[in-house]
Every structure is written in structure tokens, then in C-alpha cells.
Amino acid sequence: MQTTLQPVLILLAAAVLVVAVCRLLRLPPLLGYLIVGVAIGPHALGWIRDSEEVRHLAEIGVVFLMFSIGLEFSLPKLVTMRRIVFGLGAAQVILTLAIVLAVALGLGIAWQAGVVLGGALALSSTAILAKLLAERYELNSPHGRQIMGILLFQDLAVVPLLILIPALAAGPDDLAMNIGYALLKAAVVLTVLLFLGQRLMRNWFHLVARQKSSELFVLNVLLITLGVAFITEMAGLSLALGAFVAGVLISETEYRYQVEEDIKPFRDILLGLFFVTVGMLLDVRVVVENGWPSVLLIALVVLKTLLIFGLSRLFGSDSDVALRTGLALGACGEFGFVLLSNAYNLGLVQPQILQPVLAAMVLSMLIAPFIIERSEHIVQRWSSTAWMSRALHLTNIAAQSMVADQHVVICGYGRSGQNLSRLLERERIPFIALDIDPQRIKEAAAAGESAVFGDAGRREVLVAAGLLRAKAVVITYSDTASALKILAQVRELRPGLPVIVRTLDDTDIDRLKAAGAAEVVAEIMEGSLMLASTTLMLLGTPLNRVLRRIRETRAHRYSLFRGFYRGMTDEAEGADEMQPRLHSVMVPQDAAAIGKSLSDLDLASLHVEVTAVRRRNVRTVTPAPDTRIEEGDVIVLLGVEEDLAAAEMKLMQG
């Protein structure tokens, strides 16, 4: 006897098992959900049937996905990346759609279905690519910016496609009128919601937040999300479009990050259910019995890769950047399933067409992480400029370290590395810092600090940083595997060079000492040591020069250590947004601050402190209040994120 609870338990058990395996294999969980759907769906084991109730729940998952995209929508970001987004991104989507439409017409498929297939196949996975790029610290690299810019346009392109699909399904009669009417309705509804809803949303959230109830806040988020989605559905548009609008409205308020955190559990669970239902549509026999999915998969990945490579080159990118971008975006994405699911439910795409396309899309997403993992080797082999870029990168590091002698090589320029560099600077000890976080290096280099982008675990990078002339190496981040790799390189190139290693606790001290570390600083042990040092100081115990520096730093309320340049890794680790941070701002031509003194600007009223000014490569620490700002100055600000944004706006606009 089958109860209502039985299919739910089957779904949960299968999802937990497969997603856990995906986590172990470092694959995106959504691939696990797709596999679960394929396995337990009506075309395989048949444990769960494709019912109307399951489809409704899956549609709610799409609603939360679109809501999340709306939350991340940023008009300033669009303006900043407009050339990539509306140039390269638009060209990629339009050309892919046109090519697929032409092929569909050649195969005798209706043009309406060809448009849907073209739109679905033009899209790539924001969820997979954003995660992989963040893990590889490539979000701010040249190819990372191109990939994210194209993905941003693809996400925006889903909105008109969601409007277009119901109009296409209405039939060939008066098609132009149906499309025009759909676009007119969308324009009216969006205008009313965006213009009238903006002020109402902010005031309403203020009212709810003042009640200081997390339960009420979450209920309110659910009400807004589903309520706006319901309004757009009643207007003849889609639920997903309304959810996107709700996200955009909330993204303009100060509650955006709290909302994003609160809806995450609902979004992930319901979105997982959506991908399960997509997997249930796939008939494994189609994949096994004929070769169409394999042919489509190869054609799809090769076509998109070559198309994006060519477009990127036309937009002025080097061949290595263009090839990395094409390889990353060759696979399909989650929004393609959203479009195909809508089109299938409306009868636009027939099962005999849907099955091979769906199989190719699923397979492309399965291989996407492996393609990106091997992309560096592919680029190094096929791109003529890759070797030149690598040589130029090493030359830049060597140029920074050329004048350095008997210096310290700092591996990792996070908070610990930055604090160490400031003490070395006080003692006039030269150093060069290596870090693989481009955002952090950009901020530090703009402020005139000796920090360069480079992987300290690579032999050629250490040599370029002047390892053969260095006096010491300090590994400032707690990663035993990486530290052992660096120690092996140092032991081979400079036996006897002292290496100081930071580690979390005393677990790996013996391994690191055996690998050649001169000293291993364990954080937990150092905490106890500092407590003892403070006690001894209060008891009048004599101190050496290092302890005097520590006492001076405490006497000045740790002003030397206050703030640090925030990088992507800090955000990934959940750094406190209310913690003071350093931020470098370059003063461009026509900025409001030019000609004004620091006292005139009065940034202290915004709770922001100016810690340094860099002018013509000369860095002044703690500048005087009468220092006047000039064009090209780099001003280093200290404050929390919200105050820094206000201070930067004051510098630019007055």
C-alpha cells in the first residue's frame, strides 16, 4: 500500500545519497538532483510519477531561483560592464539562437520550437561557473570578468524569453499581435511594480524590521516573493517573471543580504525538486539506443566554444582569454531547463525533440567542471599568447623584486600577511608579498604596497620573487598541503633559508618541521603565549625589541593592525560586514575632491579614516589634515563597507 508520504521519503533518501556523493566528488549538487530525477522517474525505476502536484512544487523552485537572480541585479554593475554584457553577451545569445533556429528549420522543426531550443541552448550555468571561478580565484581575472558579463546577459535574456514562450504557444493566428500584447502587458506591469513598488517596498520592510522578529521577517519575504509572482501570473505573464521583479525591488533596499540568507533554505530545497522533475523528463533509453544525444552534445559544446572564442577575439581579447571564456561557457545551464519545461508543458516542444536535447544538456553540465579543470592545459597547448602572458606575469613579479635584496618573501597577503608587512615596514625590512586573490592584490598594489599576484607554490613564481636573494620566507596562511609544497621548493632552491610557517594548531608541527620549516607558529599556542606575555608585562618582566613593538601597538589601540584589504576569499569565509576594512580609491579627472584638503572633505563625519595617500608612487602614511587632493592620487580609506561606499561617493561627487 502506497501512502502520500512514501514518494516524499523516496525522493529525500535518493537526493541525500546522490547529493552527498556529488559533494565528495566536488561536483555541483544540481547535477545530483538531475541524476535522482532520471533514476526514480517514470522512464527508469518509476518510483515517482510525473504528477501535476510535483510540477507545481517545481515551479515554486523556479520562482525562488528567479528571485535570487533579481536580488543580485545591479544597475551600476550593468553600467560598469556594459560593453561585455550588452556587446559580447548579447551577440553570443542572439547568434546562438539564430544558428540553432536555422538548424531546426533545416531539420523540419517548427520555427516556434526552434526559437525555444535556441534560447535554451544559448544559456550556460551561472550556478556552476560562479562557484568554480570563485574556488579558483578567477572571478576578477580577464576571462572571469568576460564569463560573468556574458552570464549576466544570459540571465537577463531569460525574462523576455519567458514572456515570449506563452505567446508562441498561442498559435500561428495573430502571432505578431499576441507577442506585441504580451510585451505591452509586461511593460505596463513592470512599470507599475518597479516605480510604485520601490518606495512601498522600502517603507514596508522598515515597518517589518522594526518588529525585530525573524519569523515575521521570513514570512514577509515569502509573502512578497509569491505575492508579486501571483500578480504577474494574473496579468497573463509567468510566475518566474514576477519573482525576478520582487528580487529587483528588494535589491535596492538595505535588507538585501538578510533576505538572501533567509530564503536560501527554501530556494535550495525547492530548486532541487525542480531539477528532479527535469531529470524525470529524461528517457535513458533514448541515450542508450541511439547516438543523437552524443552527436548533439559534441556539436553543442564545440559550436558554443568556437562561437564565443571568435566573438571574444572580435571584442579585442587575447586568444588565451577568449579560449578560456569559450571553454567555460560551452555547456548548458539551469535556465535552459526552465525554458524547455515551460515550452514542453505548453506543447511547443514535442517529446521526440525534447529527449535528445535534454540528454545533451544534462551531459554537457556533467562534463562542464571537468572541462574547466583541464582548461589551463588546453589553453597552454593551443594558445600562442598563453606562454607570452605567463612570461609577462613572471616578468612583472621579477620587476617588483629586482631591487630587493635580503628581503622577506611573504606567501599570502591576507590579514596575517598584511599585519606582518606593516611591522617589517616599520623596521625598514624589505619584503615582497605573493597572493592569488586578484581583488586583494589590486587594492594593495593601488596603495603602493609591495604585493603582486602569484601562486607561491610554483617554482618559477618563487624564483621571480627573488627567492635566491631572500633572507627569509613566511607562509602566512594556514594550509598544510600548500605549505609543504612551498617548503619542498625552497629546500631544493635555497637549502638552509629560514621558512616561518603559520598553522591553525599543533597537529602538523612535526610534519612541517620535518619538511624544513625553521619555525611553525600555531595560532592556538600563540594565543596562550600572548596571554602569558601580557601577564609578564604587567608584572614588569623585561622585554626585547619585538615585545616593545607589540606594547606600542597595544598602546595605540592596534592602529597599525586596524583594517585589512578584503578579498573574495574573505567574503567566501563569511567575513563580518561590520568589521573595518581598507579600501583604495583612485581620484580620477573631474572628481569633486580635487583641490580640497582632507579637513575640508571631513570624511571622519562618515566614520571613515584616511590612513595613507599615494601620489606619484610616493606613499604617505597618516597624511596631515591640510593635505590637498590631486588628480591621480590613491587614497587609502578605513571603515566599514557601507561607510566606505558613502566616502567614495563624496570623493567623486562631493
Side-chain angles (χ1 to χ4, degrees), residues 22-65:
C22 285
R23 290 284 187 188
L24 289 173
L25 297 176
R26 299 177 66 83
L27 294 173
L30 65 87
L31 296 180
Y33 289 120
L34 288 170
I35 294 168
V36 168
V38 172
I40 66 178
H43 301 295
L45 297 175
W47 291 351
I48 295 183
R49 302 183 181 208
D50 184 17
S51 64
E52 198 68 29
E53 292 79 8
V54 172
R55 282 206 208 111
H56 284 321
L57 282 173
E59 194 169 11
I60 304 264
V62 178
V63 163
F64 280 98
L65 175 62

Side-chain angles (χ1 to χ4, degrees), residues 373-391:
E373 192 66 33
R374 300 293 299 172
S375 62
E376 187 64 30
H377 299 283
I378 298 171
V379 171
Q380 293 291 346
R381 181 172 180 179
W382 294 101
S383 173
S384 59
T385 62
W387 288 103
M388 293 176 61
S389 299
R390 190 170 178 180

Side-chain angles (χ1 to χ4, degrees), residues 9 20 26 110 153 156 183 198 253 276 279 291 341 379 383 391 416 427 430 432 441 498 571 609 614 625:
L9 289 174
R26 299 177 66 83
F153 184 85
L156 292 175
L183 292 174
Q198 195 72 257
T253 72
V276 170
S341 180
V379 171
S383 173
S416 297
E427 293 294 330
I432 182 166
I441 291 300
E571 294 170 5
E609 177 185 343
R614 180 192 178 195

Side-chain angles (χ1 to χ4, degrees), residues 351-556:
Q352 61 269 25
I353 299 171
L354 178 70
Q355 288 300 327
V357 172
L358 198 62
M361 290 173 65
V362 172
L363 291 172
S364 75
M365 291 180 71
L366 283 171
I367 67 171
F370 301 104
I371 292 176
I372 293 174
E373 192 66 33
R374 300 293 299 172
S375 62
E376 187 64 30
H377 299 283
I378 298 171
V379 171
Q380 293 291 346
R381 181 172 180 179
W382 294 101
S383 173
S384 59
T385 62
W387 288 103
M388 293 176 61
S389 299
R390 190 170 178 180
L392 181 61
H393 170 59
L394 294 175
T395 303
N396 289 336
I397 298 175
Q400 288 276 348
S401 66
M402 191 174 295
V403 296
D405 190 34
Q406 296 296 294
H407 60 292
V408 177
V409 178
I410 301 176
C411 303
Y413 206 53
R415 188 162 195 176
S416 297
Q418 291 174 40
N419 288 342
L420 171 62
S421 72
R422 288 164 198 163
L423 281 177
L424 293 175
E425 193 174 27
R426 284 287 180 94
E427 293 294 330
R428 300 186 184 279
I429 298 173
F431 68 89
I432 182 166
L434 300 168
D435 200 286
I436 56 173
D437 189 320
Q439 181 177 331
R440 182 182 294 141
I441 291 300
K442 181 181 177 182
E443 294 261 7
E449 301 189 14
S450 300
V452 291
F453 181 86
D455 182 359
R458 288 168 53 180
R459 178 191 180 98
E460 63 269 27
V461 171
L462 287 172
V463 172
L467 180 70
L468 301 178
R469 306 185 306 275
K471 194 172 184 179
V473 174
V474 184
I475 303 173
T476 66
Y477 52 89
S478 181
D479 185 337
T480 301
S482 177
L484 290 171
K485 188 177 178 181
I486 295 170
L487 285 167
Q489 300 285 5
V490 173
R491 186 166 55 185
E492 182 182 345
L493 295 167
R494 281 285 306 276
L497 181 70
V499 181
I500 301 94
V501 182
R502 171 192 164 199
T503 186
L504 183 62
D505 51 34
D506 56 352
T507 305
D508 298 314
I509 288 180
D510 292 337
R511 287 178 65 197
L512 293 166
K513 293 283 281 186
E519 292 292 342
V520 180
V521 179
E523 291 183 33
I524 294 175
M525 295 175 68
E526 275 301 304
S528 301
L529 178 62
M530 293 305 296
L531 179 63
S533 300
T534 305
T535 305
L536 291 173
M537 283 194 297
L538 292 174
L539 294 172
T541 304
L543 301 172
N544 58 26
R545 186 176 181 84
V546 175
L547 290 180
R548 283 203 304 273
R549 283 293 183 193
I550 294 174
R551 187 168 59 225
E552 288 172 8
T553 305
R554 287 202 184 98
H556 290 89

Side-chain angles (χ1 to χ4, degrees), residues 59-75 78 85-86 126 151-163 186 189-191 193-194 198 201 221-233 237-252 256 259 263 267 335 338:
E59 194 169 11
I60 304 264
V62 178
V63 163
F64 280 98
L65 175 62
M66 290 299 294
F67 179 71
S68 298
I69 295 298
L71 275 179
E72 295 174 8
F73 181 84
S74 169
L75 190 58
L78 274 180
V85 176
F86 297 106
T126 303
L151 287 172
L152 185 55
F153 184 85
Q154 290 180 359
D155 291 345
L156 292 175
V158 174
V159 175
L161 287 170
L162 286 172
I163 297 170
V189 172
L190 293 179
T191 301
L193 286 174
L194 290 173
Q198 195 72 257
M201 189 68 67
V221 172
L222 293 174
L223 173 65
I224 296 296
T225 307
L226 299 176
V228 177
F230 176 73
I231 291 172
T232 55
E233 187 184 40
L237 305 170
S238 68
L239 286 169
L241 178 61
F244 175 80
V245 173
V248 171
L249 290 173
I250 296 175
S251 73
E252 298 298 323
R256 167 187 169 184
V259 168
I263 64 129
R267 180 197 66 192
F335 281 120
V338 174

